Amino acid sequence: MAQFQHPLHCLQSVQRQPTDLLIGSAGQRIYSYAAPTGQRLDVWPQNVDSASLESAGASVTEEQAPPEKRRKLSAEEKLDKPTWSTIPILKVSPDGKHVVAVTAEDKSIRVLQLNEDGTLRQLSSRTMAKRPSALALTPDGKTIICADKFGDAYSLPLIPSTDYVAEMQSEAKPYKPAATSLTVHTKRNLESLEQQMRQAELKAKKAEEKTALAFEHQVILGHVSLLTDLICVPSPTNPSRSYILTADRDEHIRVSRGVPQAHVIEQYCLGHTAFISKLCVPSWAPELLVSGGGDNYIMLWEWTEGRMLQKIPLLDSSEATEVIVRGIWEVSFAQVAGMDDPLRAILVALEGSSQLLCFTLEKDSTLKQQLPIQLSGNVLDLVAIESRNAIAVSVDTVHQQNSTDTWKPSVESPQMLLECLQAENQVDGLHWNPSPDPLAGHIASQGTTGLGEALDDKQKKALAGSLYSLGNLRKRSWDE
Amino acid sequence: MATPPPYKRQKREEYRRQLTNATTDDAASVKAPQKRFFRQRAHANPFSDHHLDYPLSPAHMDWSSYYPAFVDPDASKTTPDGARKLVKDVEIVDIGCGFGGLTVALAPLLPETLMVGMEIRTQVLEYLNSRICFLRAQQQHLKNKAAATSSESPAPAATEEEPVQKTSDKPADEAGTTTAVVPGNYENISAIRANTMKFLPNFFGHHQLSKIFICFPDPHFKARKHKARIISESLNAEYAYVLRPGGLLYTITDVEEYHHWILRHFQHDPETQAASGGIKDLWERVPESELEQDPCLRVMKFETEESKKVTRNKGNKYVAVYRRKADPEWPA
């Protein structure tokens, strides 16, 4: 019997010669496809045979709770057996030559070279202090900006320079507590201070300072909150300047200058009433920002001014449920059947929903809601394929529509990991029709990797947790 | 069977109940709150989601109940939620104001400037609120009395200035009870519960503030807890956002290591000074010579509750004051 396959968690499209590519992550691996045909070009890491995958799959759940922390392995070992279960973040550099991936459990940022024939080769792997929660590349494509759960954002060169020497702690300084007998006043604190001093003397010989990250990096900004998204955009008025927009769990959107002046905060966009999960600055309207999160609205901003232009409800006021914005994407098609102007649309996916909401940008800089797009499963990610006026949407083939915990009763054949839809303007609005491209069909027939036979509840939960984790950002309610 | 709350807590609750009831009575009978009923553990976790109230944005903040004397007479000016606006913006913030020693002592020095103390601990804040409430009521009472006496005897002008002198040579009690009418009548100070590490930009807009005080911050001695310190490079960027160019950020601590931490995180520590760029672009240290004339510094050094405690214990006080520079030019 066929197995359920790992859905494509992240998708990225690469426009370049000779062929456009589609890069996707599913489970532990990254796949590269030729965009027009859907032919699979490479899988990374390659030498994960199905046997070792099975065992890795079995250990996935153990790694989930509690996740293994800070595993340090040599480069060879890493390739032999992936120590991660998912690849939650995937980005392609602006020139299309590199893929940046974050592997979940080992908190590593991996830079892969994307060769002309679509093959992938790992160039570097850098383990961060905390698991990266968002990642962006600067507009020039030379620097990675990465945000973590601790609220810090780091900048790292895309290609680490070889001559970087890690700043070593010059010499292990003798331990000296910050408190002195002048700063502690109670008897108990004084006693514990004395105890600390005694302990310090004992340990003095093997005092080992925590080693810093052994590669070039810089903390560029920080929030005292979990960072949920980060984007790096050029200034709408002066393309030589760039800005960094960061969003956090405490409803803030911060606008800072780009590196090396990221400590200059220019603006805040305040208005959300729950955590923010996604930011999107459309390339065709760089002065606008669309943001969404856990508060049932998406907001349109003039971000350089911190001014809210529009607040669009995602639900009817009658509905009492809470939704979370999973993704916001911009699409721009030069020529769409039945339209005079180019199509400029914002697509919004909600966590665990099989509908894709569609908004078009009107001439007065407002978003107009169009008919929603219905898919066969929950939307995970999407990419626009400009040359065909189409979008490729990766859908969850494992869970039932609009559910994040109920599995489909049986394996569908073929499992449509991807759906391609083409835009068409009709009298009653914008429609998205199934595209005749072979892309989706071909990818489905090749599949990804199987999830294994008969997963237990724990493994199922782990998979759902890795695909749908935004709900964890919600603050606990305090109604006592 | 549920165990009854400890005797201490019972007494405390009883006391506070009486206090809240009393404030509703006439101004003359308001008693000064006593600190011992408001003690709270000195630490709070700045990362946890406390049940906090904070405005959606600075424009949404309703300050009218905090500064009733400064509410704009024009009732048509309102916040987006319909609250009345003030005639001026809050300009001075005491971050981690504790029992409010600094806020209260600064009030008469800058009577026309609105100041707010921000504190994360509820009980301590409750004390400060009752303290301000008491001081305002007392001022009202004194003013009424002065008005009554001045109508009998002439020379009412002298009453304003002379008593101020008196307060300085007479030790005040812990709540700062005075027998004099002070400039501003404590109408210019207030206190709010807030986690400024997370929500400072919700209260104050770009370049709104002229002074920020951070006095005797929680030292978080363990290296593991350093992330919770209220001075850090990333927070200094946020302070620079709310502080106007030329504005001052005052820090004082009795922990030498923390003082060096502060210098380091403003990148002014001679040992680890960065080559260029970074947060250093935004701040310059104010030299000692300039600080000598600053009355706010004297208040910070000698009149906050913590500084009195440090003086009693003969501890050291380390001061560092930074001036916000103008934003640097964009790199070419």
mmCIF file of all heavy atoms in Angstrom, chain A residues 14-16 91-98 137-143 158:
data_model
loop_
_atom_site.group_PDB
_atom_site.id
_atom_site.type_symbol
_atom_site.label_atom_id
_atom_site.label_comp_id
_atom_site.label_asym_id
_atom_site.label_seq_id
_atom_site.Cartn_x
_atom_site.Cartn_y
_atom_site.Cartn_z
ATOM 1 N N VAL A 14 13.001 29.804 -8.559
ATOM 2 C CA VAL A 14 14.258 30.411 -8.999
ATOM 3 C C VAL A 14 14.106 30.717 -10.475
ATOM 4 O O VAL A 14 13.871 29.805 -11.271
ATOM 5 C CB VAL A 14 15.435 29.442 -8.794
ATOM 6 C CG1 VAL A 14 16.744 30.162 -9.092
ATOM 7 C CG2 VAL A 14 15.430 28.877 -7.396
ATOM 8 N N GLN A 15 14.219 31.996 -10.801
ATOM 9 C CA GLN A 15 14.123 32.347 -12.213
ATOM 10 C C GLN A 15 15.511 32.570 -12.754
ATOM 11 O O GLN A 15 16.202 33.487 -12.316
ATOM 12 C CB GLN A 15 13.287 33.611 -12.388
ATOM 13 C CG GLN A 15 11.830 33.287 -12.321
ATOM 14 C CD GLN A 15 10.976 34.489 -12.110
ATOM 15 O OE1 GLN A 15 11.423 35.616 -12.283
ATOM 16 N NE2 GLN A 15 9.760 34.257 -11.714
ATOM 17 N N ARG A 16 15.909 31.707 -13.665
ATOM 18 C CA ARG A 16 17.238 31.876 -14.215
ATOM 19 C C ARG A 16 17.387 31.033 -15.466
ATOM 20 O O ARG A 16 16.548 30.179 -15.774
ATOM 21 C CB ARG A 16 18.293 31.517 -13.188
ATOM 22 C CG ARG A 16 18.251 30.055 -12.788
ATOM 23 C CD ARG A 16 19.357 29.789 -11.824
ATOM 24 N NE ARG A 16 19.901 28.467 -12.004
ATOM 25 C CZ ARG A 16 20.830 27.965 -11.207
ATOM 26 N NH1 ARG A 16 21.310 28.675 -10.227
ATOM 27 N NH2 ARG A 16 21.288 26.756 -11.410
ATOM 28 N N LYS A 91 15.196 29.738 1.696
ATOM 29 C CA LYS A 91 15.248 30.970 0.901
ATOM 30 C C LYS A 91 16.230 30.783 -0.240
ATOM 31 O O LYS A 91 17.201 30.026 -0.109
ATOM 32 C CB LYS A 91 15.734 32.156 1.752
ATOM 33 C CG LYS A 91 14.848 32.491 2.916
ATOM 34 C CD LYS A 91 13.708 33.396 2.536
ATOM 35 C CE LYS A 91 12.753 33.445 3.705
ATOM 36 N NZ LYS A 91 11.504 34.032 3.491
ATOM 37 N N VAL A 92 15.984 31.506 -1.302
ATOM 38 C CA VAL A 92 16.900 31.477 -2.429
ATOM 39 C C VAL A 92 17.499 32.865 -2.559
ATOM 40 O O VAL A 92 16.806 33.877 -2.398
ATOM 41 C CB VAL A 92 16.164 31.068 -3.719
ATOM 42 C CG1 VAL A 92 17.067 31.216 -4.925
ATOM 43 C CG2 VAL A 92 15.683 29.637 -3.616
ATOM 44 N N SER A 93 18.782 32.936 -2.811
ATOM 45 C CA SER A 93 19.439 34.241 -2.932
ATOM 46 C C SER A 93 18.933 34.954 -4.184
ATOM 47 O O SER A 93 18.480 34.308 -5.125
ATOM 48 C CB SER A 93 20.948 34.060 -2.984
ATOM 49 O OG SER A 93 21.304 33.364 -4.156
ATOM 50 N N PRO A 94 18.998 36.300 -4.183
ATOM 51 C CA PRO A 94 18.436 37.041 -5.318
ATOM 52 C C PRO A 94 19.030 36.623 -6.673
ATOM 53 O O PRO A 94 18.329 36.648 -7.679
ATOM 54 C CB PRO A 94 18.785 38.497 -5.004
ATOM 55 C CG PRO A 94 19.021 38.548 -3.547
ATOM 56 C CD PRO A 94 19.509 37.202 -3.140
ATOM 57 N N ASP A 95 20.292 36.207 -6.701
ATOM 58 C CA ASP A 95 20.863 35.801 -7.986
ATOM 59 C C ASP A 95 20.546 34.351 -8.336
ATOM 60 O O ASP A 95 20.949 33.862 -9.391
ATOM 61 C CB ASP A 95 22.379 36.042 -7.987
ATOM 62 C CG ASP A 95 23.103 35.216 -6.931
ATOM 63 O OD1 ASP A 95 22.442 34.387 -6.263
ATOM 64 O OD2 ASP A 95 24.320 35.388 -6.763
ATOM 65 N N GLY A 96 19.839 33.674 -7.449
ATOM 66 C CA GLY A 96 19.422 32.311 -7.748
ATOM 67 C C GLY A 96 20.528 31.284 -7.678
ATOM 68 O O GLY A 96 20.356 30.163 -8.129
ATOM 69 N N LYS A 97 21.647 31.631 -7.109
ATOM 70 C CA LYS A 97 22.762 30.688 -7.106
ATOM 71 C C LYS A 97 22.924 29.944 -5.782
ATOM 72 O O LYS A 97 23.696 28.999 -5.701
ATOM 73 C CB LYS A 97 24.069 31.422 -7.448
ATOM 74 C CG LYS A 97 24.099 31.838 -8.911
ATOM 75 C CD LYS A 97 25.394 32.501 -9.272
ATOM 76 C CE LYS A 97 25.396 32.846 -10.747
ATOM 77 N NZ LYS A 97 26.218 34.018 -11.028
ATOM 78 N N HIS A 98 22.241 30.432 -4.770
ATOM 79 C CA HIS A 98 22.382 29.791 -3.468
ATOM 80 C C HIS A 98 21.027 29.567 -2.827
ATOM 81 O O HIS A 98 20.107 30.351 -3.011
ATOM 82 C CB HIS A 98 23.250 30.642 -2.540
ATOM 83 C CG HIS A 98 24.662 30.785 -3.020
ATOM 84 N ND1 HIS A 98 25.065 31.878 -3.737
ATOM 85 C CD2 HIS A 98 25.731 29.978 -2.905
ATOM 86 C CE1 HIS A 98 26.336 31.738 -4.042
ATOM 87 N NE2 HIS A 98 26.766 30.593 -3.552
ATOM 88 N N LEU A 137 17.489 37.609 3.208
ATOM 89 C CA LEU A 137 18.751 38.007 2.594
ATOM 90 C C LEU A 137 18.645 39.487 2.266
ATOM 91 O O LEU A 137 17.585 39.988 1.903
ATOM 92 C CB LEU A 137 18.990 37.192 1.325
ATOM 93 C CG LEU A 137 19.428 35.758 1.601
ATOM 94 C CD1 LEU A 137 18.816 34.800 0.627
ATOM 95 C CD2 LEU A 137 20.937 35.663 1.562
ATOM 96 N N THR A 138 19.747 40.191 2.415
ATOM 97 C CA THR A 138 19.731 41.613 2.063
ATOM 98 C C THR A 138 19.521 41.736 0.555
ATOM 99 O O THR A 138 19.826 40.803 -0.186
ATOM 100 C CB THR A 138 21.054 42.287 2.462
ATOM 101 O OG1 THR A 138 22.126 41.508 1.945
ATOM 102 C CG2 THR A 138 21.182 42.385 3.955
ATOM 103 N N PRO A 139 19.013 42.894 0.097
ATOM 104 C CA PRO A 139 18.732 43.029 -1.335
ATOM 105 C C PRO A 139 19.944 42.744 -2.220
ATOM 106 O O PRO A 139 19.787 42.243 -3.339
ATOM 107 C CB PRO A 139 18.277 44.487 -1.465
ATOM 108 C CG PRO A 139 17.727 44.827 -0.129
ATOM 109 C CD PRO A 139 18.522 44.050 0.863
ATOM 110 N N ASP A 140 21.162 43.001 -1.709
ATOM 111 C CA ASP A 140 22.330 42.704 -2.543
ATOM 112 C C ASP A 140 22.715 41.226 -2.495
ATOM 113 O O ASP A 140 23.618 40.792 -3.211
ATOM 114 C CB ASP A 140 23.517 43.591 -2.143
ATOM 115 C CG ASP A 140 24.036 43.285 -0.740
ATOM 116 O OD1 ASP A 140 23.549 42.327 -0.120
ATOM 117 O OD2 ASP A 140 24.918 44.007 -0.262
ATOM 118 N N GLY A 141 22.040 40.470 -1.657
ATOM 119 C CA GLY A 141 22.253 39.022 -1.632
ATOM 120 C C GLY A 141 23.540 38.578 -0.988
ATOM 121 O O GLY A 141 23.895 37.410 -1.057
ATOM 122 N N LYS A 142 24.238 39.476 -0.316
ATOM 123 C CA LYS A 142 25.531 39.087 0.237
ATOM 124 C C LYS A 142 25.464 38.722 1.714
ATOM 125 O O LYS A 142 26.399 38.162 2.260
ATOM 126 C CB LYS A 142 26.542 40.232 0.054
ATOM 127 C CG LYS A 142 26.975 40.373 -1.396
ATOM 128 C CD LYS A 142 28.005 41.465 -1.526
ATOM 129 C CE LYS A 142 28.374 41.668 -2.975
ATOM 130 N NZ LYS A 142 28.643 43.065 -3.289
ATOM 131 N N THR A 143 24.382 39.120 2.349
ATOM 132 C CA THR A 143 24.305 38.948 3.795
ATOM 133 C C THR A 143 22.998 38.253 4.170
ATOM 134 O O THR A 143 21.945 38.552 3.617
ATOM 135 C CB THR A 143 24.365 40.320 4.492
ATOM 136 O OG1 THR A 143 25.474 41.040 3.971
ATOM 137 C CG2 THR A 143 24.519 40.180 5.980
ATOM 138 N N LEU A 158 26.794 35.655 3.545
ATOM 139 C CA LEU A 158 26.255 34.466 2.879
ATOM 140 C C LEU A 158 27.341 33.411 2.753
ATOM 141 O O LEU A 158 27.146 32.249 3.077
ATOM 142 C CB LEU A 158 25.715 34.848 1.489
ATOM 143 C CG LEU A 158 25.147 33.707 0.670
ATOM 144 C CD1 LEU A 158 23.840 33.205 1.261
ATOM 145 C CD2 LEU A 158 24.944 34.119 -0.772
#
